[in-house]
Amino acid sequence: MKWYEKLEEYELEFQEKYDQYGAEGILEHIFNGETPNINPTHKYCVELGAMDGVTGSTTKWLADECGWKQLGIEGNPARRNENPDHVIEKITAENINELLKKYKVPTNLDFLSLDIDSNDYWVLKSLLESNIYRPK
């Protein structure tokens, strides 16, 4: 059985701290487990659709518990907070690469979370087809 076929087991092992679906356990297994399956280069993560940067966050655990650098981008100004790693910007397929460049995101970032409730496919397609940013 391949490591990614057992991810559901790791989701159940971890008490949810930020993410509502136990992603912390899966991320722990992928990046920090006894035998990490993906070795991070920069320990840098980006969350597109970051809400308030805490509630439901897929990347906050990596930043707080694992010492990763984090950028959260949220399109809704009502979700603004004081964290300098959380910014309010409209995310589109046309501007995603410029946004990441603007905030000095490493081109080979280690983890990307994308949940903007619209156009996810087109944003990801634009990001990957640009051949600039390559999340692991």
Side-chain angles (χ1 to χ4, degrees), residues 11 16-24 51 55-58 115:
E11 176 182 357
E16 299 157 3
K17 188 167 184 179
Y18 303 109
D19 183 77
Q20 59 190 344
Y21 300 110
E24 292 95 342
M51 294 182 57
T55 307
S57 177
T58 306
D115 185 4

Side-chain angles (χ1 to χ4, degrees), residues 3-121:
W3 67 269
Y4 50 82
E5 293 173 332
K6 301 188 314 181
L7 289 180
E8 190 172 289
E9 296 172 26
Y10 297 97
E11 176 182 357
L12 300 174
E13 288 179 10
F14 224 79
Q15 183 174 4
E16 299 157 3
K17 188 167 184 179
Y18 303 109
D19 183 77
Q20 59 190 344
Y21 300 110
E24 292 95 342
I26 294 170
L27 294 173
E28 170 71 21
H29 173 68
I30 292 172
F31 292 110
N32 299 332
E34 286 181 24
T35 55
N37 296 289
I38 297 176
N39 291 312
T41 306
H42 300 286
K43 292 190 171 186
Y44 197 102
C45 54
V46 172
E47 186 159 6
L48 303 175
M51 294 182 57
D52 65 3
V54 177
T55 307
S57 177
T58 306
T59 60
K60 182 136 177 75
W61 179 82
L62 286 170
D64 287 0
E65 305 295 327
C66 303
W68 285 41
K69 292 185 190 301
Q70 170 194 29
L71 173 64
I73 304 177
E74 171 59 43
N76 184 345
R79 294 184 173 148
R80 181 179 309 279
N81 72 31
E82 301 303 315
N83 181 342
D85 297 325
H86 181 269
V87 299
I88 302 295
E89 297 271 7
K90 182 176 181 178
I91 303 164
T92 68
E94 293 77 25
N95 77 355
I96 185 58
N97 291 296
E98 287 304 313
L99 282 177
L100 298 182
K101 181 179 178 182
K102 176 180 177 179
Y103 292 103
K104 299 177 174 53
V105 172
T107 55
N108 58 344
L109 66 143
D110 296 301
F111 181 69
L112 172 72
S113 172
L114 171 60
D115 185 4
I116 55 174
D117 297 333
S118 65
N119 292 320
D120 294 34
Y121 170 80

